[in-house]
Amino acid sequence: MTDITVMATGLRFPEGPVVLEDGTIALVEIARGTVSRVAPDGTVSVIAEPGGGPNGLALGPDGMLYVCNNGGFAWHEEPGMIRPIGTPDDYSGGRIERVDLRTGACTVLYDRCGDTRLKGPNDIVFDRAGGFYFTDLGKARHRDRDQGSVYYAKADGSFITEVVHPILTPNGIGLSPDETMLYVAETEGGRLWAFDLTEPGRIRRHPFPSPHGGRFLFNQAGYERYDSLAVEASGNICVATLMTGAITVISPEGELVESVPMPDVYTTNICFGGPDRKTAYVTLSGTGQLVRMPWQRPGLKLNFAP
């Protein structure tokens, strides 16, 4: 097992870790409806209470946090484990929110794209132009589920466009170091897709048999579901992998680099920090933990990270 240090426990399905300038980690607690902060000593405090289901998190060019809010889940709890099981009766709709780190004030930037309501925004990444891509996984009901989408939007709330549709349960999202490629991890299919970017918010569509214009990059045999992801400075894509409980590292050429085992089947997200970006922070959501561990290769510095 990798040399893992537990930073915080008792979190309510944590996701979306972001390393802040002061060395603390911002993350969401989906089942608690909060954006929270974890101090180096493990102390957890609440930054904001947007409610619903805050899911993905990113630091914007204005120093604000941007939240993908999926509108909420229904939950199943048992000793030592919590997991989402569908859409709750009080589902409040999907939206993108901006959170002021100083005051905790929440502002809804987008709850629709044109006439299309956002259903379950999940993960988010900013580009150098100051806009952001985000996935909308959709919501699942007892007998049907939504088609997913990928969107691109401006941080000031003035513009949003659909980039990819339909796509099955899009979850993790990231950019290649040169920002010519957008990576999207598909949960239910356990597949990683690459989309060629021609300019911010536009892709060059691959023809049929691509189902949505993307290029298939990687999957493995067996029951694996992909969650959020982060990119290394070298361009490798590190995908948090559900059911097997691992970080699956995939090269830009679509080859398996390694699989790093984690002690939770709900390994949901990873980010990089430290002076050399060779510390990985991972959310173990089923057991409610944030952990850190040494990483042998540096992570990519995100555009607006400290």
Short mmCIF file of all heavy atoms in Angstrom, two decimals, residues 34 49 90 110 122 207:
data_model
loop_
_atom_site.label_atom_id
_atom_site.label_comp_id
_atom_site.label_asym_id
_atom_site.label_seq_id
_atom_site.Cartn_x
_atom_site.Cartn_y
_atom_site.Cartn_z
N THR A 34 -21.93 21.44 1.84
CA THR A 34 -21.01 22.52 2.17
C THR A 34 -19.77 22.53 1.29
O THR A 34 -19.39 21.52 0.69
CB THR A 34 -20.52 22.42 3.64
OG1 THR A 34 -19.78 21.19 3.81
CG2 THR A 34 -21.68 22.46 4.61
N GLU A 49 -22.19 27.34 2.59
CA GLU A 49 -23.25 26.34 2.65
C GLU A 49 -24.20 26.52 1.47
O GLU A 49 -25.32 27.01 1.64
CB GLU A 49 -24.01 26.45 3.97
CG GLU A 49 -23.14 26.23 5.20
CD GLU A 49 -23.94 26.31 6.50
OE1 GLU A 49 -24.58 25.31 6.85
OE2 GLU A 49 -23.91 27.38 7.12
N ASP A 90 -36.08 16.09 -2.65
CA ASP A 90 -35.88 17.54 -2.58
C ASP A 90 -34.83 18.05 -3.55
O ASP A 90 -34.22 19.09 -3.34
CB ASP A 90 -35.53 17.97 -1.15
CG ASP A 90 -34.20 17.37 -0.68
OD1 ASP A 90 -33.65 16.48 -1.37
OD2 ASP A 90 -33.72 17.79 0.39
N TYR A 110 -24.90 30.05 -13.35
CA TYR A 110 -25.65 29.39 -14.42
C TYR A 110 -26.51 28.29 -13.83
O TYR A 110 -26.05 27.52 -12.99
CB TYR A 110 -24.70 28.76 -15.45
CG TYR A 110 -23.71 29.71 -16.08
CD1 TYR A 110 -22.39 29.77 -15.63
CD2 TYR A 110 -24.09 30.54 -17.13
CE1 TYR A 110 -21.48 30.65 -16.22
CE2 TYR A 110 -23.18 31.42 -17.71
CZ TYR A 110 -21.88 31.46 -17.25
OH TYR A 110 -20.99 32.33 -17.82
N ASN A 122 -20.82 18.31 -12.39
CA ASN A 122 -20.01 17.39 -11.60
C ASN A 122 -18.58 17.85 -11.39
O ASN A 122 -18.09 17.87 -10.27
CB ASN A 122 -20.03 16.02 -12.28
CG ASN A 122 -19.40 14.94 -11.44
OD1 ASN A 122 -18.19 14.86 -11.33
ND2 ASN A 122 -20.23 14.11 -10.83
N PRO A 207 -15.48 11.69 -36.62
CA PRO A 207 -16.71 11.14 -37.21
C PRO A 207 -17.13 9.82 -36.56
O PRO A 207 -16.41 9.26 -35.72
CB PRO A 207 -16.30 10.92 -38.68
CG PRO A 207 -14.82 10.65 -38.61
CD PRO A 207 -14.31 11.53 -37.50
#
